Amino acid sequence: MSKDSRDVPAPPWRKSRRPAQVKRQLSQELIVETGLRILDAEGFDALSMRRVAQELDTGPASLYAHVSGKEELLELIYDRVLSEVRLPEPDPARWKEQLREYAQEVHRVFREHADVARAALANIPTGESSLRAGEFTYGLLIEAGMPPAEASLAMDRLTLYLVGDAYEGSLHWARMRAAGMSGPEEYFQAFVAQIISYYQGLPRERFPHLSEHVMDLTAGDGEDRFTYGLELLLDGIEARMPKA
Amino acid sequence: MSKDSRDVPAPPWRKSRRPAQVKRQLSQELIVETGLRILDAEGFDALSMRRVAQELDTGPASLYAHVSGKEELLELIYDRVLSEVRLPEPDPARWKEQLREYAQEVHRVFREHADVARAALANIPTGESSLRAGEFTYGLLIEAGMPPAEASLAMDRLTLYLVGDAYEGSLHWARMRAAGMSGPEEYFQAFVAQIISYYQGLPRERFPHLSEHVMDLTAGDGEDRFTYGLELLLDGIEARMPKA
DNA sequence: ACCTGAACACCGTTCAAGT
DNA sequence: ACCTGAACACCGTTCAAGT
């Protein structure tokens, strides 16, 4: 699985599966890609230094020549994922649409790498891709006319929202995986069913609204919820934007 | 440290420090309180089943009679913390003020238990206190006139914001602790200084806005940021509230 | 029913030793 | 400079055995 598929089978008399001269050189990039592959395939809990090392046919200590530790590895993986975010040419006159498109694009990328958000919160962006994204949003708000001090706050909160939502989503993925389910539909079904029966059993005197509107409480999927919150934020920002 | 301070010193000829008949009985409540104490004093990373057991003078296996595992323990601690949130009598005519006060109250409680948010994301509220809080916000929105389906989305996003912000804050706390710093001021100082010098060193052609407004980017503290985002959300909700 | 010791299958990181 | 094996100090959970 970790082997390059172009490899030819080793002859049975060879003792080491991967002779020294063919063995891949370690490098930070290789370590990051390997980590991301594990993250995508098996989730956050499966990502460990030892596991990455194993995948690269070496011991965990070898990684420390290229990466200062697990925390740095997670930051590098995060920035690697952010590099998949495509940014348009900024057009401040269309700041709201562009911010919306940007947010949906980040959301899309985070959905493809479900667990990477768990490596992201509270990281001041310092990687190449994080900085690109930051410059884009910040420039857009400022060129649209927002004072820089306020634009800082708005950008900060928007970023928190994107990462927070993705983080929440990744915890759902983890639960799904733990339950050994095949896909989101099955998980969603089972999960919603559980909640419905739980909420319906609540004492109606003490929880009148929760118990009355069970179906509404369990209606929206992740996309609906994400979009609703995004529009709340964008509208709030728009209301604060100085009139042109 | 884990011993009750009213305890009298044991006579030197007694072999076991805590004789069986005096030993505290284990109970779910005791385990939760012990876990919360560790969380508050030493942070999320210090909280382990083994550590809780040690604090209670027993082995980790003993906890499993009262708690299904670490995940459940975290949920119980979370609900225990939420029980400190004080709720007013709902007054739908003042829904916005009450929601604002509620959010600030949750924020205050989360600040006193910095790391508990890390136990919270993606948990559908099922504990007593979570349900109370949910009934309060949901009822307020509905009685103020919002359709139940939309109120579900609004409540969900507001909750995500509260927990996400607290989570981010707790990661800062963890870093502070790891750096062996005495308090938030020192951490904040050092952290901001780092960011300032980093951003100032950025190539100005590629990151014109970020490098120009370094002081604005590092200006707001956690409270400013929290309040700004909260007002964004509340304004967005207000704009969607049917006119009375 | 509740508690326990011992074991299992893992962690991240360090360090002296090798090349 | 880069890589390694072995060790250190931890994890969460299970299980057979005790009371």
Side-chain angles (χ1 to χ4, degrees):
Chain A
M1 193 200 273
S2 79
K3 279 175 243 153
D4 191 314
S5 52
R6 290 165 304 177
D7 274 355
V8 126
W13 60 86
R14 188 162 327 139
K15 280 218 182 98
S16 62
R17 289 191 302 125
R18 191 186 290 280
Q21 62 272 31
V22 167
K23 185 165 185 177
R24 279 169 299 188
Q25 283 298 119
L26 282 184
S27 71
Q28 191 177 84
E29 206 205 320
L30 185 56
I31 291 170
V32 169
E33 291 302 325
T34 308
L36 179 55
R37 209 169 56 235
I38 296 171
L39 199 66
D40 284 345
E42 297 169 62
F44 189 81
D45 294 332
L47 177 60
S48 69
M49 299 298 277
R50 298 179 107 101
R51 181 62 203 287
V52 171
Q54 188 196 96
E55 210 79 16
L56 294 167
D57 280 329
T58 182
S62 304
L63 306 179
Y64 286 80
H66 301 93
V67 135
S68 70
K70 192 178 185 181
E71 197 178 316
E72 189 182 88
L73 176 57
L74 289 173
E75 279 172 33
L76 291 167
I77 292 176
Y78 178 62
D79 205 67
R80 158 67 183 74
V81 165
L82 270 196
S83 74
E84 295 182 16
V85 171
R86 291 173 304 227
L87 299 177
E89 204 53 44
D91 177 4
R94 295 180 54 245
W95 72 265
K96 199 181 180 185
E97 294 94 305
Q98 285 206 325
L99 230 44
R100 180 185 291 122
E101 284 162 22
Y102 162 75
Q104 295 283 3
E105 168 76 0
V106 172
H107 182 63
R108 179 188 69 77
V109 170
F110 281 176
R111 203 152 17 82
E112 279 173 15
H113 304 283
D115 277 3
V116 85
R118 286 166 85 169
L121 276 159
N123 278 337
I124 299 298
T126 109
E128 168 70 24
S129 304
S130 314
L131 287 172
R132 261 179 57 238
E135 175 65 24
F136 175 77
T137 30
Y138 197 50
L140 209 50
L141 288 166
I142 287 179
E143 296 300 331
M146 186 169 266
E150 185 167 355
S152 303
L153 293 172
M155 173 173 72
D156 180 66
R157 296 295 95 177
L158 182 61
T159 306
L160 174 64
Y161 180 65
L162 295 178
V163 178
D165 180 86
Y167 189 100
E168 192 181 34
S170 91
L171 291 187
H172 281 293
W173 266 95
R175 290 191 167 203
M176 193 196 88
R177 242 189 298 255
M181 286 168 172
S182 60
E185 309 78 23
E186 190 191 345
Y187 170 74
F188 199 67
Q189 288 275 344
F191 197 64
V192 167
Q194 266 189 354
I195 299 167
I196 289 177
S197 75
Y198 180 79
Y199 273 72
Q200 275 170 343
L202 251 34
R204 296 188 65 106
E205 330 79 63
R206 300 188 49 222
F207 305 104
H209 298 92
L210 289 182
S211 55
E212 186 180 344
H213 300 290
V214 181
M215 293 329 268
D216 288 315
L217 284 164
T218 52
D221 65 8
E223 296 308 306
D224 297 338
R225 294 169 129 81
F226 173 75
T227 301
Y228 187 80
L230 176 60
E231 296 300 327
L232 285 185
L233 288 173
L234 291 177
D235 286 355
I237 293 174
E238 187 172 33
R240 284 160 179 74
M241 189 67 84
K243 301 290 168 290
Chain B
M1 192 201 269
S2 81
K3 280 175 240 149
D4 190 316
S5 52
R6 290 165 305 178
D7 274 356
V8 126
W13 61 85
R14 193 171 312 147
K15 281 220 184 97
S16 61
R17 291 190 304 124
R18 193 187 288 281
Q21 63 273 29
V22 167
K23 183 163 185 179
R24 278 169 300 189
Q25 283 297 119
L26 283 184
S27 71
Q28 191 176 83
E29 206 204 321
L30 185 58
I31 291 170
V32 169
E33 291 301 325
T34 307
L36 179 56
R37 211 169 56 235
I38 296 171
L39 198 66
D40 284 345
E42 297 169 62
F44 189 81
D45 294 333
L47 178 60
S48 70
M49 298 300 275
R50 297 180 108 101
R51 182 63 203 286
V52 172
Q54 189 196 94
E55 211 79 17
L56 294 168
D57 282 330
T58 184
S62 304
L63 307 179
Y64 287 80
H66 301 92
V67 135
S68 72
K70 192 177 186 183
E71 196 177 319
E72 189 182 88
L73 176 56
L74 289 173
E75 278 171 35
L76 291 167
I77 293 176
Y78 178 63
D79 205 67
R80 159 66 184 74
V81 165
L82 270 195
S83 75
E84 296 182 17
V85 172
R86 289 173 307 227
L87 300 177
E89 204 53 42
D91 176 4
R94 294 179 55 247
W95 72 266
K96 199 181 181 188
E97 295 95 303
Q98 284 207 326
L99 229 46
R100 182 185 290 122
E101 284 162 22
Y102 163 75
Q104 295 283 3
E105 168 76 0
V106 172
H107 182 63
R108 178 188 70 76
V109 169
F110 280 175
R111 202 151 20 80
E112 280 172 16
H113 304 283
D115 278 2
V116 84
R118 288 166 84 171
L121 278 160
N123 278 335
I124 299 299
T126 107
E128 167 70 24
S129 304
S130 315
L131 287 172
R132 261 180 55 238
E135 176 64 25
F136 174 77
T137 32
Y138 196 52
L140 209 49
L141 288 166
I142 287 179
E143 296 300 331
M146 187 169 265
E150 185 168 356
S152 303
L153 294 171
M155 172 172 74
D156 180 66
R157 296 295 95 178
L158 181 62
T159 305
L160 174 64
Y161 180 65
L162 295 177
V163 178
D165 179 85
Y167 190 100
E168 191 181 35
S170 92
L171 291 188
H172 281 293
W173 265 97
R175 290 191 168 202
M176 194 196 87
R177 243 187 299 255
M181 287 170 172
S182 60
E185 309 78 22
E186 190 191 345
Y187 170 75
F188 199 67
Q189 289 275 345
F191 198 65
V192 167
Q194 268 189 354
I195 299 167
I196 289 176
S197 75
Y198 181 80
Y199 273 72
Q200 274 170 346
L202 250 36
R204 297 186 66 104
E205 330 79 63
R206 300 187 49 222
F207 304 105
H209 298 92
L210 289 183
S211 55
E212 187 180 344
H213 299 290
V214 182
M215 295 327 266
D216 287 316
L217 285 164
T218 53
D221 65 6
E223 297 307 305
D224 297 339
R225 294 168 129 80
F226 173 75
T227 302
Y228 188 80
L230 176 60
E231 295 301 326
L232 284 184
L233 288 174
L234 290 177
D235 286 356
I237 292 173
E238 188 172 32
R240 284 162 179 74
M241 189 67 84
K243 300 291 167 289

